[in-house]
Amino acid sequence: MVNNKKLLAWVEEVATLTKPKEIQWVDGSLEENQKLLDLMVEAGSATKLNETEKPGCYLFRSHPSDVARVEGRTYIASKKQEDAGATNNWIDSLEIKETMTKLYNGCMEGRTMYVIPFSMGPIGAPISKIGVEISDSPYVVINMRIMTRMGKVVLDQLSEDSDFIPCLHSIGSPLREGEKDVAWPCAPIESKYITHFPEERMIWSYGSGYGGNALLGKKCLALRIASAQAKDEGWMAEHMLILALTNPEGKTYYVAAAFPSACGKTNLAMMQPTIPGWSVKCVGDDIAWMRIGDDGRLYAVNPEAGFFGVAPGTSMDSNPNAMKAIQKNTIYTNVLLKDNNDVWWEEMGEDAPSHGIDWEGNEWTPASDKKGAHPNARFTAPASQCSVIDENWENPAGVPISAILFGGRRPSTIPLVNEALNWNHGVFMGSATGSETTAANIGAVGVIRRDPFAMLPFCGYNMGDYFNHWINMGEKLGDKAPKIFFVNWFRKDNSGKFIWPGFGENSRVLKYVTERIEGKNLGEETAIGILPKLGDIDVNGLGLSEATVEDLFAIDKEGWLAEITSIEEFYAKIGDRLPARLQAELDKLKDRLTDNGSCGCCGCGK
Ligand code: OXD
Ligand code: MN
């Protein structure tokens, strides 16, 4: 029995505006889920996969225009533009409400309006937040059931007056009397809007049914709205995986790591270390909510309950634990359908089938000039199915973080691993994160862009204020602050080949990180940070020459000076809310690299 006044009034208000055929309060049960899946199979928008190979799995194909997040149509709505800042698409709250209200008018005609109560974070945990998504997409319902804790259990948490974050979503495709539905209804790109109201803690999304545009608990709530809440309430909402690394002596270190979208976070989060005696367990693969615990340390919770991972490139080599986790009860979107009703994608580590149906629903053979799976094809799978899920992944208190990693796809200049000299230098490193763009967003792929803290598309407020929040958190954490490292698995040699093997071999770098945490006398201070010395990272058996290893850590002075120019340009864009302490870090780096401060090449670190 729903008695929350705000919720009841909001549901009625939305129904009056959007005019659905019916309203369904989602309870999250297995039966309800199956009914929705059966309905979608019957309607031709889902394909049930081979029950022997992939029990409980379904395939969906999206509209070709609706295949990824649309950053260009994603907005931060606030009263003042400076509160959204230069890195966000700002829109005036009143103006966008007027525009979107017109779009929402009658937009659910002929469709069912689903009311989806969900919790980001374990139900009832102090850091968790309750949201309610209203959506006219059954695909959203079944995905939210995997990605969040959802349904009656959450509704039961809401008393008459308790608060929640309203998340309104419509695919923007009313089904008028006599009209035939399509497999993936959505609105054209120019009328898609993914709008966040951080001041009101509210989300309005229209026109897209895909991933982060539509599963509003994920990027919209757990990052954009939560980041604004976190700043106000003194915690952090970050685009970070959380992993548990255990050494041969049985000591566990929890590490949080921020990488831009589609840079291998899911692979790292559940990697299989190649070094004997070490193991990795996964707490989360995409988002970390972190607060300072009673002991003064930073504790992280994964607010999600599932993985929404990129399928292409996922294989038994790159991520065996993900491959095992997605064999059952998984939703596949935009992968290739094999003739035996199983799925396939590029770089799956399995020969391409001689024939199949591609992500656009067309006949496909290896001779086709198109890819079988879209590069941003996804799997949605329950985290509980991951055999290396950490025993503390649902601990309401979170896990204590010993190290924070930042990283990106950088073909040159940035070393394999570089430790920050101190917290503020680490914040500087995070703020200067750059990466080649990927297919996770609609737009150009492979272009280097600044993606501070991997939060460029996800920070719900002014980036300068966000940097400042990081500095403030460091002050509160003091000597309990985690150590910060910058890693780059993607450096290339002159022939364009990746130098570092990556994947399970990244455990060699993680081992070094834990040794630094333990204060082992490894590494040396240089102009750019603390770099490992030759021999500090075990590269035995990798077949890398000494010169190649040296290359991985070489300070390319010209490259760094160009990097500094690019950071300066980016900082200029942030404007007057850039914290002076970050400008000072940039100036110090420049001094250390040029003749002003030191020779910049002998590693003296001055
Ligand atoms: C994601 C993304 O889906 O970052 O996690 O785009
Ligand atoms: Mn992500």
Side-chain angles (χ1 to χ4, degrees):
M1 178 66 194
V2 189
N3 64 357
N4 184 280
K5 288 189 233 150
K6 172 174 158 181
L7 180 54
L8 289 168
W10 180 57
V11 167
E12 195 181 315
E13 184 197 332
V14 172
T16 306
L17 176 65
T18 59
K19 306 181 184 61
K21 163 180 97 197
E22 61 191 2
I23 301 175
Q24 184 174 330
W25 289 75
V26 168
D27 64 18
S29 64
L30 212 59
E31 303 72 56
E32 173 189 80
N33 191 53
Q34 195 53 54
K35 232 177 175 169
L36 289 173
L37 285 162
D38 293 346
L39 265 176
M40 287 186 279
V41 170
E42 204 179 304
S45 61
T47 303
K48 177 155 174 45
L49 296 178
N50 183 319
E51 189 58 24
T52 312
E53 299 293 329
K54 295 281 181 305
C57 296
Y58 292 80
L59 167 69
F60 290 79
R61 291 189 197 102
S62 76
H63 188 272
S65 70
D66 200 25
V67 291
R69 290 184 292 98
V70 276
E71 290 174 19
R73 308 292 309 168
T74 299
Y75 296 90
I76 299 296
S78 54
K79 292 192 196 101
K80 292 193 259 149
Q81 180 159 10
E82 62 262 36
D83 291 335
T87 59
N88 277 315
N89 279 335
W90 173 77
I91 196 148
D92 175 76
S93 302
L94 291 177
E95 182 193 323
I96 190 67
K97 278 184 188 165
E98 205 179 308
T99 307
M100 291 186 74
T101 302
K102 281 190 196 135
L103 291 170
Y104 281 136
N105 191 358
C107 71
M108 293 191 190
E109 261 180 48
R111 300 199 182 275
T112 300
M113 176 177 124
Y114 300 96
V115 183
I116 315 164
F118 64 95
S119 172
M120 297 314 290
I123 292 173
I127 202 165
S128 298
K129 302 278 177 212
I130 291 183
V132 180
E133 177 161 354
I134 290 183
S135 174
D136 51 4
S137 161
Y139 172 83
V140 163
V141 179
I142 57 159
N143 275 274
M144 287 292 282
R145 184 167 182 275
I146 296 177
M147 294 307 296
T148 71
R149 285 93 178 164
M150 173 268 246
K152 185 176 177 309
V153 277
V154 179
L155 212 49
D156 290 347
Q157 296 285 306
L158 282 181
S159 63
E160 215 176 305
D161 294 311
S162 45
D163 207 7
F164 64 91
I165 298 170
C167 310
L168 175 54
H169 170 252
S170 171
I171 49 176
S173 184
L175 195 57
R176 304 253 147 73
E177 197 64 46
E179 238 179 277
K180 196 170 153 9
D181 207 357
V182 292
W184 185 279
C186 63
I189 188 98
E190 63 283 359
S191 44
K192 292 191 207 294
Y193 288 93
I194 326 299
T195 309
H196 307 76
F197 301 85
E199 287 155 351
E200 292 163 72
R201 318 277 198 237
M202 176 171 95
I203 300 158
W204 284 11
S205 169
Y206 181 90
S208 167
Y210 206 86
N213 303 327
L215 312 178
L216 301 186
K218 191 173 180 64
K219 303 299 185 182
C220 299
L221 192 157
L223 287 175
R224 300 196 188 94
I225 295 295
S227 61
Q229 261 181 305
K231 180 193 62 129
D232 294 348
E233 296 169 5
W235 51 284
M236 307 168 97
E238 300 299 331
H239 190 202
M240 289 179 174
L241 66 90
I242 311 160
L243 63 81
L245 177 69
T246 304
N247 69 15
E249 290 74 50
K251 181 161 180 187
T252 296
Y253 303 84
Y254 287 98
V255 176
F259 297 88
S261 305
C263 281
K265 286 219 301 295
T266 306
N267 294 345
L268 185 63
M270 48 187 90
M271 68 128 92
Q272 251 173 27
T274 50
I275 42 175
W278 291 72
S279 65
V280 162
K281 290 212 166 161
C282 173
V283 177
D285 77 329
D286 196 39
I287 300 176
W289 282 0
M290 302 191 286
R291 59 172 186 91
I292 300 176
D294 294 340
D295 61 359
R297 294 186 67 189
L298 195 59
Y299 283 78
V301 161
N302 169 15
E304 302 192 278
F307 306 122
F308 183 64
V310 179
T314 304
S315 68
M316 285 307 279
D317 279 339
S318 67
N319 195 338
N321 290 318
M323 287 298 277
K324 286 184 233 152
I326 61 179
Q327 296 306 308
K328 58 180 185 187
N329 309 321
T330 296
I331 299 164
Y332 291 93
T333 309
N334 287 347
V335 298
L336 178 132
L337 180 67
K338 297 202 292 192
D339 291 347
N340 68 347
N341 264 18
D342 199 352
V343 287
W344 181 87
W345 50 79
E346 278 74 17
E347 293 173 64
M348 190 195 201
E350 195 183 294
D351 287 344
S354 56
H355 176 265
I357 304 294
D358 72 11
W359 71 273
E360 291 187 87
N362 299 319
E363 305 278 330
W364 187 92
T365 72
S368 302
D369 54 6
K370 284 184 166 176
K371 289 199 186 304
H374 185 276
N376 192 39
R378 299 280 180 148
F379 53 79
T380 321
S384 57
Q385 285 186 187
C386 178
S387 58
V388 293
I389 200 76
D390 187 62
E391 45 276 22
N392 277 314
W393 85 280
E394 296 198 281
N395 186 336
V399 294
I401 298 298
S402 301
I404 290 176
L405 313 185
F406 298 120
R409 283 178 188 268
R410 296 300 302 268
S412 65
T413 314
I414 309 298
L416 180 64
V417 56
N418 182 17
E419 181 184 332
L421 301 169
N422 51 53
W423 179 268
N424 281 355
H425 181 229
V427 176
F428 164 75
M429 284 176 162
S431 78
T433 302
S435 192
E436 286 180 333
T437 49
T438 66
N441 169 51
I442 288 179
V445 170
V447 180
I448 301 263
R449 71 167 181 182
R450 293 282 144 210
D451 188 350
F453 296 83
M455 283 288 278
L456 182 74
F458 308 122
C459 179
Y461 60 104
N462 188 303
M463 192 61 86
D465 295 344
Y466 169 86
F467 293 165
N468 204 38
H469 181 50
W470 264 83
I471 291 173
N472 290 340
M473 289 298 291
E475 263 169 17
K476 286 191 202 149
L477 285 161
D479 62 4
K480 303 259 174 60
K483 272 185 180 295
I484 298 179
F485 298 80
F486 201 101
V487 298
N488 178 24
W489 320 132
F490 300 95
R491 199 150 166 174
K492 291 183 176 165
D493 64 16
N494 291 339
S495 66
K497 259 184 52 203
F498 290 117
I499 304 178
W500 183 250
F503 306 115
E505 303 297 1
N506 292 335
S507 54
R508 298 172 188 252
V509 175
L510 293 183
K511 171 173 179 271
Y512 168 80
V513 164
T514 64
E515 287 166 347
R516 288 291 305 157
I517 293 167
E518 292 299 347
K520 274 212 182 146
N521 186 21
L522 300 174
E524 64 186 351
E525 213 171 298
T526 74
I528 60 169
I530 300 167
L531 295 180
K533 300 188 296 298
L534 211 59
D536 285 352
I537 293 184
D538 172 13
V539 291
N540 274 336
L542 293 182
L544 300 176
S545 68
E546 200 170 301
T548 308
V549 177
E550 271 170 2
D551 260 6
L552 280 170
F553 301 109
I555 302 179
D556 158 17
K557 191 168 164 180
E558 289 313 308
W560 273 97
L561 292 176
E563 181 74 4
I564 285 174
T565 306
S566 151
I567 299 168
E568 276 170 343
E569 281 164 16
F570 176 65
Y571 274 9
K573 191 170 156 199
I574 302 289
D576 57 10
R577 296 216 196 168
L578 179 81
R581 276 181 279 184
L582 285 196
Q583 183 61 50
E585 288 297 332
L586 177 62
D587 294 342
K588 279 193 273 180
L589 172 63
K590 202 164 161 181
D591 278 353
R592 290 194 301 261
L593 274 165
T594 58
D595 294 339
N596 299 346
S598 79
C599 60
C601 62
C602 75
C604 60
K606 290 193 204 108

